[in-house]
């Protein structure tokens, strides 16, 4: 009992000392003179977050390059597409062990593209998740077809949404290839085959839309859903987009990428409105084959069919066969044809123009088409438009039999049609910038 009593006494004393010391410290702090502001150390501003992207590449050029010229550098690259420009944020070599490591500073969270030697690429959400991505790399097949396999991202919740989104796009592309083959194998020709192909594409497009909608609805509080809703139509899917944004803002108040998304959508809408049929066609001027400049405005007073194309674009060169037929049909009726090459190489343009023997005016966009692609908001070619005699847009995204129909309507004074809703993935040759 004596020991217990003594213990209680010592505990009481100890507590008293603690109270006394705390009280003395408080008094001392209250009476201590304030430090001059100049001596207070300021915290340095936080720099950009950094994430690591690493993985393996099964095939590089090493041991597989069998062409007489030297193999180009095989690099891993992380970039963002900003309009028609590509901004590179990180680069790395693939080691002898077939591994690579990319260190990516992330000033702004968002979608970045990880490119594997220009043979494969995958879109990722860069913010705070380190990623592991394995690629097949170089296509070692003797006959190379631009249809690389699906790429999976090992990361976190944000990039699991990207996996779902990327997989839907991948499967939709595979479906379009399969549909084209199936329609061709039927032996049908002309309008019958076109009708079958269109119905198959419509089904694939609707299926893709349904899957994208599902991903958006069920991941509305995950930041990378911003990448998903970009595939939705801002007009017909307005209610869904607004619902997703409201849930995302509630989960992440003040999240900067949300406002950036809204600003970009507003800017894109303003540009689409400027490109509405009936509005003035954006002007441009480029050199002809003989070097003399030619502007779209120089052709005012005539209906002008403008074909944006490139030497490397297979669908473009196939469409030229149709354009020659329509040129003969309308050349004496106040209609001009104008081909605008977006080739990066002037020599490639001149060679292809000579091979195709197009009898109408030819000009070369000396910046590789960056400005006209921005002004007219296209990323796939052939991109064919019709401009009326007053210099206003009459029709866009013309192909095949739709071309002579639009030309005749413009000549007859028929009001321009409203553009069809945009499709999920262009069937034209997609730009690889």
């Amino acid at each position: 009992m004596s020991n217990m009593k003594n213990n209680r006494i010592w505990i009481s004393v100890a507590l008293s000392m603690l109270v006394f010391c705390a009280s003395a410290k408080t008094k001392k702090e209250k009476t201590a003179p304030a430090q001059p502001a100049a001596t207070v150390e300021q915290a340095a501003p936080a720099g950009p977050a950094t994430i690591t992207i690493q993985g393996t590449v099964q095939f590089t050029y090493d041991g597989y390059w069998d062409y007489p010229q030297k193999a180009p550098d095989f690099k891993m690259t992380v970039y963002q597409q900003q309009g028609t420009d590509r901004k590179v944020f990180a680069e790395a070599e693939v080691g002898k062990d077939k591994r690579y490591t990319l260190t990516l500073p992330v000033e702004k969270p968002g979608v970045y593209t990880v490119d594997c030697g220009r043979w494969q690429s995958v879109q990722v959400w860069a913010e705070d998740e380190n990623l592991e991505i394995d690629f097949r790399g170089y296509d070692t097949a003797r006959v190379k077809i631009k249809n690389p396999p699906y790429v999976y991202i090992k990361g976190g919740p944000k990039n699991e949404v990207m996996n779902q989104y990327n997989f839907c796009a991948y499967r939709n592309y595979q479906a379009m290839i399969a549909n084209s083959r199936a329609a061709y194998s039927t032996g049908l020709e002309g309008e019958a085959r076109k009708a079958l192909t269109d119905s198959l594409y419509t089904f694939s497009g609707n299926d893709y839309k349904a899957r994208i909608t599902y991903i958006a609805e069920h991941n509305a509080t995950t930041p990378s859903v911003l990448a998903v809703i970009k595939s939705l139509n801002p007009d017909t899917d307005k209610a869904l987009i607004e619902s997703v944004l409201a849930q995302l803002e509630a989960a992440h108040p003040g999240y900067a990428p949300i406002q950036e998304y809204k600003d970009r959508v507003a800017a894109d809408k303003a540009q689409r409105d400027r490109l509405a049929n009936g509005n003035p066609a954006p002007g441009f001027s480029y050199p002809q084959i003989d070097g003399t400049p030619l502007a779209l405005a120089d052709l005012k007073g005539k209906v002008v069919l403008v074909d944006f194309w490139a030497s490397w674009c297979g669908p473009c060169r196939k469409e030229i066969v149709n354009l020659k037929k329509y040129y003969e049909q309308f050349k004496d009726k106040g209609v001009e044809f104008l081909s605008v090459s977006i080739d990066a190489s002037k020599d490639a343009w001149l060679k292809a123009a000579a091979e195709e023997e197009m009898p109408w005016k030819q000009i070369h966009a000396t910046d590789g088409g960056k400005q006209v692609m921005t002004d007219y908001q296209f990323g796939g070619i052939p991109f064919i438009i019709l401009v009326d005699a007053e210099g206003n847009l009459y029709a866009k995204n013309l192909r095949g039999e739709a071309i002579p129909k639009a030309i005749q309507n413009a000549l007859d004074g028929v009001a321009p049609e409203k553009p069809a809703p945009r499709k999920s993935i262009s069937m034209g040759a997609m730009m690889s910038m």
Side-chain angles (χ1 to χ4, degrees):
M1 292 292 293
S2 177
N3 287 339
M4 291 178 64
K5 183 177 181 180
N6 288 339
N7 287 341
R8 284 197 297 269
I9 293 173
W10 280 112
I11 292 171
S12 177
V13 171
L15 289 172
S16 298
M17 291 296 293
L18 286 171
V19 171
F20 173 79
C21 290
S23 176
K25 181 179 180 182
T26 302
K27 290 178 181 178
K28 184 176 180 180
E29 289 175 349
K30 285 181 178 179
T31 58
Q35 294 294 318
T39 63
V40 177
E41 185 176 343
Q42 299 293 329
T50 300
I51 66 170
T52 299
I53 304 173
Q54 59 184 341
T56 62
V57 177
Q58 186 177 4
F59 300 109
T60 63
Y61 296 133
D62 189 21
Y64 294 96
W65 185 263
D66 55 0
Y67 300 97
Q69 64 270 34
K70 181 183 177 182
D73 292 336
F74 194 104
K75 288 186 177 181
M76 303 297 299
T77 308
V78 183
Y79 68 87
Q80 272 188 327
Q81 198 67 44
Q82 300 178 350
T84 55
D85 291 324
R86 172 182 289 181
K87 183 176 180 180
V88 175
F89 290 87
E91 281 188 337
E93 303 284 346
V94 179
K96 293 295 184 182
D97 59 354
K98 298 186 178 181
R99 294 198 61 83
Y100 71 90
T101 300
L102 290 156
T103 302
L104 175 63
V106 184
E107 295 183 0
K108 293 182 180 180
V111 176
Y112 291 70
T113 298
V114 181
D115 181 88
C116 177
R118 293 295 184 102
W119 285 95
Q120 280 182 279
S121 65
V122 64
Q123 289 191 327
V124 304
W125 185 268
E127 185 168 1
D128 54 6
E129 297 175 351
N130 291 325
L131 309 176
E132 185 173 344
I133 310 171
D134 296 334
F135 292 91
R136 185 181 192 278
Y138 179 55
D139 186 349
T140 59
R142 186 173 296 276
V143 178
K144 295 173 174 54
I145 301 174
K146 195 68 173 179
N147 186 20
Y150 172 70
V151 178
Y152 182 77
I153 310 162
K154 297 177 184 176
K158 298 180 181 71
N159 278 283
E160 186 52 40
V161 172
M162 294 301 297
N163 278 327
Q164 297 174 35
Y165 173 58
N166 291 337
F167 188 71
C168 283
Y170 170 77
R171 288 304 305 165
N172 186 46
Y173 187 63
Q174 301 308 307
M176 286 193 293
I177 294 173
N179 289 338
S180 296
R181 289 174 177 169
Y184 180 80
S185 66
T186 61
L188 296 172
E189 296 291 342
E191 287 300 317
R193 190 163 84 186
K194 181 179 182 301
L196 175 60
T197 303
D198 287 348
S199 66
L200 292 172
Y201 287 163
T202 298
F203 174 81
S204 294
N206 291 339
D207 181 70
Y208 174 76
K209 169 72 175 297
R211 294 173 186 273
I212 291 297
T213 299
Y214 182 89
I215 296 172
E217 288 175 338
H218 292 81
N219 294 278
T221 59
T222 304
S224 53
V225 76
L226 289 170
V228 179
I229 61 176
K230 285 195 301 183
S231 288
L232 297 173
N233 188 300
D235 298 320
T236 59
D237 301 317
K238 183 178 179 181
L240 172 59
I241 293 172
E242 289 180 348
S243 173
V244 170
L245 289 175
Q247 294 178 69
L248 189 61
E249 285 181 304
H252 305 276
Y255 188 57
I258 298 176
Q259 188 58 49
E260 291 171 6
Y261 168 84
K262 291 180 177 180
D263 292 343
R264 185 172 61 252
V265 169
D268 288 346
K269 183 180 185 305
Q271 180 65 2
R272 285 198 305 274
D273 291 343
R274 286 192 291 271
L275 290 174
N277 291 339
N279 287 345
F284 52 82
S285 177
Y286 295 113
Q288 301 179 78
I289 289 177
D290 64 3
T292 60
L294 177 67
L296 179 62
D298 296 335
L299 304 177
K300 192 171 182 179
K302 293 186 176 182
V303 172
V304 184
L305 185 85
V306 185
D307 174 28
F308 296 97
W309 74 295
S311 63
W312 46 262
C313 168
C316 298
R317 300 185 72 159
K318 288 181 180 179
E319 194 67 63
I320 289 172
V321 176
N322 291 326
L323 294 182
K324 287 180 178 179
K325 179 173 61 176
Y326 306 140
Y327 175 77
E328 292 299 323
Q329 182 179 347
F330 291 104
K331 68 178 182 178
D332 298 323
K333 297 181 180 181
V335 179
E336 286 279 4
F337 279 46
L338 173 65
S339 286
V340 183
S341 164
I342 62 170
D343 277 290
S345 165
K346 178 182 177 180
D347 291 341
W349 164 56
L350 292 174
K351 180 175 182 294
E355 291 170 350
E356 296 296 344
E357 298 181 334
M358 292 172 277
W360 52 82
K361 292 177 171 56
Q362 306 283 321
I363 59 176
H364 176 226
T366 51
D367 61 350
K370 289 182 179 181
Q371 191 59 55
V372 289
M373 289 173 66
T374 299
D375 290 344
Y376 283 90
Q377 287 202 320
F378 67 91
I381 51 176
F383 180 69
I384 301 173
I385 66 172
L386 191 67
V387 179
D388 67 20
E390 285 72 43
N392 298 321
L393 288 165
Y394 187 84
K396 299 183 290 291
N397 293 306
L398 294 171
R399 297 290 292 272
E401 292 299 322
I403 295 173
K405 179 182 177 181
I407 294 175
Q408 190 61 57
N409 285 343
L411 291 173
D412 294 341
V414 177
E417 295 180 0
K418 292 183 178 180
R422 64 180 185 175
K423 300 184 185 303
S424 57
I425 294 181
S426 170
M427 284 305 296
M430 300 308 296
M431 292 300 298
S432 177
M433 295 178 288

